Amino acid sequence: MEARITAAESLAEELQMENDAQATELSVTQQKLSSLQQRLTVSECRVEELAKQQEGQNATVQELQNTNKVRKLAFSASLLASGEGNTGNADIVQLIYKNVYQHWKPLQLKHR
């Protein structure tokens, strides 16, 4: 009977040691999980920030593309002051443009 009690006590001690080891392993695993959850939260916030930044950049790109489409250079020149006339080759005459109108609007960027 005493041998059985000693064997049971020995088994109980082994089980207690195994239980303590598993408790330590569980504690380490929980700490790792907590650390990973914090990193995930930080990463999710960073992704949201980057998405907002990209939206702003997309809007800026779109605005620049629209501005680029609208921005045009207008140029007009005539060989005569007004009306119609012969402007053909008459012994190579140097052309002098008297009525030259130019309109150019420089690109104006909005500062944010």
Side-chain angles (χ1 to χ4, degrees):
M1 173 103 153
E2 194 171 309
R4 289 174 72 191
I5 291 176
T6 304
E9 287 174 347
S10 178
L11 180 61
E13 287 177 15
E14 287 178 28
L15 290 174
Q16 183 62 42
M17 288 176 32
E18 188 178 327
N19 188 31
D20 291 344
Q22 288 178 348
T24 302
E25 185 179 345
L26 177 62
S27 176
V28 169
T29 303
Q30 286 174 333
Q31 289 174 353
K32 287 180 182 179
L33 176 61
S34 176
S35 174
L36 289 173
Q37 287 173 332
Q38 289 174 351
R39 288 175 57 193
L40 177 62
T41 301
V42 169
S43 295
E44 288 173 338
C45 290
R46 182 67 179 141
V47 166
E48 288 177 10
E49 290 173 10
L50 291 172
K52 288 178 184 177
Q53 183 180 3
Q54 183 180 13
E55 287 176 14
Q57 290 173 345
N58 287 345
T60 302
V61 167
Q62 186 64 40
E63 181 179 327
L64 290 172
Q65 287 174 340
N66 291 340
T67 301
N68 194 28
K69 288 178 185 175
V70 171
R71 189 178 126 199
K72 295 181 180 179
L73 179 65
F75 178 81
S76 174
S78 68
L79 298 174
L80 303 172
S82 64
E84 296 181 15
N86 187 1
T87 57
N89 185 2
D91 296 329
I92 304 179
V93 177
Q94 182 179 3
L95 298 177
I96 299 174
Y97 296 99
K98 291 186 177 183
N99 298 321
V100 178
Y101 300 97
Q102 179 179 333
H103 174 72
W104 178 69
K105 183 178 181 183
L107 177 66
Q108 297 176 351
L109 296 176
K110 295 179 182 178
H111 297 286
R112 293 177 182 227

